[in-house]
Amino acid sequence: MSPPPDIESIRAALRHVADPEIGANIVDLGLVYSIAFDDKLLRVEMTMTSPACPMGDMILDDAYAELARVLPADYEADIRVVWNPPWEPSMMSEQCRMRLGWSEHDAG
């Protein structure tokens, strides 16, 4: 029985998951709202940039693959897509906004 990775390790793994339409990872985009362990279940709440995101399934598949890579075999991941609060550009990290060329004014 292995101990779970810490939350920062989970966050680091999710940084390998990109939104291909924007070209930035889901953590720095501000799409990951919460990460928590409930015994041997890792619960992640996240959103997409819009409910009509055509890459949503691919992003989820990539996120599950990254979590499987870092979680011990006896742990399970549950990713829930939520729409409240709705995503907005101000949720991006400052570095992400700068890299994408968005100013504070653009971020809302």
Side-chain angles (χ1 to χ4, degrees):
M1 188 156 89
S2 304
D6 61 35
I7 299 298
E8 283 309 310
S9 296
I10 299 296
R11 193 171 276 113
L14 290 173
R15 279 195 171 91
H16 291 112
V17 178
D19 181 321
E21 290 189 306
I22 298 176
N25 75 70
I26 63 173
V27 173
D28 292 341
L29 279 172
L31 299 179
V32 177
Y33 290 167
S34 68
I35 301 170
F37 281 98
D38 182 7
D39 195 27
K40 292 187 181 283
L41 180 65
L42 172 66
R43 295 185 187 275
V44 176
E45 283 193 353
M46 64 173 290
T47 196
M48 301 291 164
T49 54
S50 83
C53 178
M55 298 298 183
D57 288 341
M58 187 189 88
I59 292 169
L60 286 174
D61 288 346
D62 290 351
Y64 274 113
E66 284 299 322
L67 294 175
R69 190 178 58 79
V70 298
L71 286 174
D74 54 337
Y75 281 77
E76 184 180 343
D78 176 34
I79 302 173
R80 297 197 180 178
V81 177
V82 298
W83 302 109
N84 195 19
W87 180 84
E88 57 185 56
S90 65
M91 295 173 165
M92 288 189 282
S93 70
E94 183 177 348
Q95 274 187 314
C96 188
R97 280 195 307 270
M98 289 174 58
R99 189 173 62 76
L100 295 173
W102 292 30
S103 68
E104 288 292 321
H105 176 50
D106 295 332

